[in-house]
Amino acid sequence: MDPSPFASRIGTNYAATDEEIIQLTQLLSEPTSKLDMLQKEIDRVHCLLEDLSNRHEALSHEIENHRALMSPIRRLPVDVIQEIFAHCLPMEHNPIISRHECPILLTQICSGWRSIALSTASLWASIHIPIPVPTNVVSGYYTPTPAWDQLTERQPLLDAAKRRATAVKEWLGRSGACSLNITVYEREHSTPLEIYNIIIDAFIGLASRWGKISFETPAANLERIAALSVTDVPMLHSLSIRGRSIHSGFQPDPNPNIVFWSKSGILKAPRLRDISYSLVTENFTAFPLNWSQLTSISLHGIAWPAAPYTSISKIAWILESCPRLISCRLEVASLPNDSIQPYPRSASISLPYLRNMTIHAGRVDLSTLCEALDVPSLQQLEFHSSIYSSELPAYPLVPLLRRTATTMRSLAIDPHFLSKGDFFRCLQSCPHISTLSIQRSYYASDRVWTPMGERPREHFLDDGLLYRLTTPDDEGNLLCPELAVFECFIGPDFTDSALLDFIKAKHSRTPGLATVKTVAVVFSRPQEIPLLGELEPFMKDGLDCRLSYSPALAQGLFSASDGISSVYNDNVFYPWGAPTLIF
């Protein structure tokens, strides 16, 4: 357009007069015609572009269809695809019956993969089976098991159990002759026996192929499992069971005729090597196990009336009876005047293959047990005892660590019951550990009763510990120089600056000082200084750093947020009653 006589009015709120409207109409006549011509040309080009795009898409689709015939994945042998499928299964737990996870997910990709997945027996040889629970059960609260004839929702629960049992049968029916790995779980321990039997029917007929089976359910509902004979489970090598109920510790047995584990033939399985017994209600030493062939034992969760079954003498008998142990997790109950006598029968308990050991003990002196242990291959040790080291002539862990100094690689302890001297003696006694985990024993609390009254905690989880882990002492000795994983979950007194200095020192490539790969610390205080920027270079270099802080508590007698439930997320557990900052 030529220069407009109305240029000074454009962009203002000026309203044209009647004469100017006529003038404007004449002025815009020719530009409007040109605009229409341009729009027609744009429409023509759009049509041409659309035609070209459609032809391009059709040709591209045809080419891709032909190229797909040459795709490497289509040319892979079936056995290679089966191996890939096997690596798609979850690692931390058994596969669940869900179309959103493997192996069911693999059957929804294409007909070829579906056929391969359904015909690969190993994909269906492991399964997690949750027991359906009544919908009126409140999660987290004990609800007594209702009588079947008093259950108001019998039919829906019955239908759910039948559907699940059908799915389990179909799943395991694809497993061919494979050894089976099965976990059975009940969330609330409130499901009627009739429902259990429907689920058990789906897999008990395959007992001859059970390789590893775990029952995270009360034993009272597993009479049919406990009644199996040794000939029914020829392939069983790993078994996890529980006591009668987590809620029946002080109650009389409602059905004394039930066959429980101490009478069970399943414990005599000829290949059984791995046994886990939790929520202990029976004498574990009376179990009819082939003790000498066991390589792994886990004994934890003691009902109070069953404490004599896990006394120090019973634990010593178990260890002495299992010379092939590779891994064990044991709890030792506190009993008056308990002693290791009459065990061990010999001067020492020889466990030449033991590599991993966890001991949780109450107020019991473990000195004689630790002195008796001959564990030349021990690499990982988690040790918790709820008796103060000052009450003992010598802390029993120190001599054990000195005897295993050349092999020990991982140590987890609770320093709550240790003096500063004993704590550092423990660390000095294992110079080759690469993992140190400082964690609270579940026996412990902030205020632990002892016959001599409460003992004040020594504050030695401070900057001095971090300094000792990176700086030689006056004699040139460095504490845990090979440390690569450092964890502290009990609210230490480290300052942020000291922790940062520790990480920097462990990444300085100083000769004789290993680089730290993992740092995980849970603080019971707010963050002091910004750390993310300082830590970012180390994290890019591979450092796994997990720091958790508690925010500052409200000061003064009153808080503006008192009574406001939405301030914090009620579905999240906060160790100190408030959210944490994690990075």
Side-chain angles (χ1 to χ4, degrees):
M1 291 181 61
D2 294 331
S4 171
F6 294 94
S8 62
R9 305 291 189 185
I10 294 174
T12 69
N13 290 330
Y14 177 76
T17 63
D18 292 342
E19 293 80 4
E20 289 174 330
I21 289 175
I22 296 173
Q23 186 178 357
L24 284 167
T25 302
Q26 294 174 350
L27 179 66
L28 296 176
S29 175
E30 183 178 352
T32 301
S33 298
K34 290 182 179 180
L35 182 63
D36 291 340
M37 291 175 60
L38 289 173
Q39 185 60 51
K40 290 179 181 180
E41 183 65 14
I42 290 174
D43 292 341
R44 185 187 69 81
V45 173
H46 276 170
C47 289
L48 178 61
L49 178 61
E50 184 176 359
D51 178 63
L52 291 173
S53 296
N54 290 337
R55 288 161 59 188
H56 178 275
E57 183 178 354
L59 184 59
S60 175
H61 185 66
E62 183 176 359
I63 291 173
E64 290 302 320
N65 285 340
H66 285 78
R67 282 179 174 171
L69 300 176
M70 302 183 292
S71 173
I73 191 66
R74 294 195 179 191
R75 302 178 62 196
L76 287 177
V78 171
D79 61 333
V80 175
I81 296 178
Q82 289 175 323
E83 187 67 23
I84 293 173
F85 284 0
H87 283 78
C88 293
L89 296 178
M91 300 293 291
E92 302 299 326
H93 57 81
N94 279 359
I96 65 174
I97 308 173
S98 170
R99 62 186 179 89
H100 301 294
E101 293 194 21
C102 296
I104 295 180
L105 180 62
L106 297 172
T107 68
Q108 304 174 77
I109 310 302
C110 64
S111 60
W113 281 21
R114 176 180 175 83
S115 177
I116 294 174
L118 292 177
S119 62
T120 304
S122 60
L123 297 180
W124 310 95
S126 56
I127 186 173
H128 174 72
I129 309 173
I131 301 292
V133 297
T135 57
N136 62 345
V137 172
V138 179
S139 179
Y141 294 88
Y142 168 56
T143 304
T145 302
W148 182 244
D149 57 357
Q150 297 176 357
L151 192 63
T152 58
E153 51 175 33
R154 279 187 299 175
Q155 196 57 47
L157 188 60
L158 189 64
D159 293 342
K162 289 180 178 179
R163 289 193 301 270
R164 188 155 298 171
T166 299
V168 171
K169 289 179 181 178
E170 184 176 349
W171 182 297
L172 296 178
R174 301 169 184 155
S175 63
C178 292
S179 175
L180 300 178
N181 181 349
I182 301 172
T183 56
V184 183
Y185 170 79
E186 185 198 352
R187 187 183 67 201
E188 298 297 341
H189 304 267
S190 303
T191 303
L193 180 60
E194 289 77 2
I195 299 301
Y196 267 89
N197 285 332
I198 292 174
I199 300 298
I200 290 174
D201 283 338
F203 63 87
I204 195 170
L206 301 173
S208 62
R209 290 200 286 121
W210 292 355
K212 180 178 182 180
I213 191 160
S214 173
F215 294 100
E216 298 181 33
T217 61
N221 289 327
L222 300 176
E223 177 183 1
R224 296 168 62 193
I225 303 297
L228 291 172
S229 69
V230 62
T231 58
D232 292 326
V233 287
M235 298 178 64
L236 185 65
H237 61 82
S238 177
L239 176 65
S240 179
I241 54 178
R242 289 192 175 190
R244 302 182 187 184
S245 172
I246 60 172
H247 305 291
S248 62
F250 299 99
Q251 300 174 4
D253 190 347
N255 190 349
N257 297 319
I258 291 180
V259 178
F260 285 109
W261 305 119
S262 60
K263 302 176 182 179
S264 176
I266 195 174
L267 299 180
K268 300 178 183 178
R271 298 187 182 182
L272 187 60
R273 302 286 189 276
D274 180 350
I275 178 74
S276 175
Y277 182 39
S278 60
L279 307 176
V280 177
T281 55
E282 296 180 68
N283 185 359
F284 184 66
T285 60
F287 283 13
L289 295 161
N290 295 318
W291 295 95
S292 62
Q293 72 179 22
L294 294 179
T295 59
S296 178
I297 290 179
S298 180
L299 186 65
H300 59 281
I302 307 168
W304 287 2
Y309 301 149
T310 56
S311 66
I312 190 171
S313 57
K314 295 287 188 182
I315 295 300
W317 184 93
I318 292 170
L319 292 174
E320 191 175 24
S321 301
C322 305
R324 290 184 173 86
L325 274 184
I326 297 174
S327 176
C328 69
R329 176 187 178 187
L330 303 169
E331 285 192 21
V332 185
S334 302
L335 293 175
N337 303 318
D338 189 21
S339 166
I340 199 172
Q341 300 299 327
Y343 292 97
R345 290 183 288 262
S346 57
S348 67
I349 301 175
S350 179
L351 300 169
Y353 310 109
L354 187 65
R355 292 199 298 264
N356 307 318
M357 186 175 192
T358 298
I359 294 181
H360 287 270
R363 288 190 45 76
V364 56
D365 183 1
L366 297 176
S367 299
T368 51
L369 178 62
C370 289
E371 289 173 5
L373 289 176
D374 179 14
V375 284
S377 302
L378 192 62
Q379 298 177 6
Q380 294 182 320
L381 176 63
E382 182 175 344
F383 188 91
H384 300 287
S385 175
S386 299
I387 187 169
Y388 285 93
S389 62
S390 58
E391 300 178 54
L392 303 173
Y395 193 61
L397 181 58
V398 175
L400 177 60
L401 290 175
R402 287 173 179 168
R403 295 200 305 273
T404 58
T406 58
T407 60
M408 188 67 65
R409 295 295 180 268
S410 176
L411 176 65
I413 55 174
D414 177 5
H416 183 84
F417 297 96
L418 293 176
S419 67
K420 181 176 181 179
D422 285 326
F423 176 73
F424 279 99
R425 274 188 287 273
C426 286
L427 298 187
Q428 291 167 349
S429 301
C430 44
H432 300 295
I433 61 169
S434 59
T435 299
L436 174 62
S437 182
I438 301 172
Q439 53 188 247
R440 180 61 53 87
S441 166
Y442 52 74
Y443 275 119
S445 65
D446 288 334
R447 299 172 65 89
V448 179
W449 177 88
T450 67
M452 299 175 65
E454 184 183 348
R455 290 164 173 75
R457 171 190 166 197
E458 287 191 68
H459 294 271
F460 50 81
L461 298 181
D462 52 18
D463 295 353
L465 171 61
L466 299 178
Y467 181 81
R468 290 285 305 276
L469 291 172
T470 56
T471 307
D473 60 17
D474 295 339
E475 298 178 358
N477 298 317
L478 193 60
L479 199 63
C480 307
E482 300 176 22
L483 192 65
V485 177
F486 178 68
E487 300 172 336
C488 187
F489 301 126
I490 59 175
D493 298 322
F494 308 148
T495 62
D496 288 351
S497 57
L499 182 61
L500 180 60
D501 290 341
F502 166 77
I503 294 174
K504 289 180 177 179
K506 294 288 285 185
H507 279 260
S508 63
R509 305 189 188 281
T510 302
L513 185 64
T515 299
V516 68
K517 298 177 180 178
T518 300
V519 174
V521 182
V522 176
F523 291 99
S524 56
R525 59 164 176 79
Q527 188 174 4
E528 298 170 339
I529 60 174
L531 289 176
L532 188 56
E534 295 275 6
L535 292 175
E536 190 171 2
F538 305 111
M539 296 171 72
K540 288 182 177 179
D541 196 33
L543 173 67
D544 177 15
C545 188
R546 287 169 278 131
L547 307 182
S548 173
Y549 293 91
S550 174
L553 300 177
Q555 300 296 315
L557 297 177
F558 305 102
S559 168
S561 61
D562 281 349
I564 306 300
S565 60
S566 61
V567 170
Y568 302 138
N569 185 349
D570 292 335
N571 295 322
V572 178
F573 171 71
Y574 303 118
W576 301 283
T580 57
L581 171 66
I582 302 175
F583 63 88

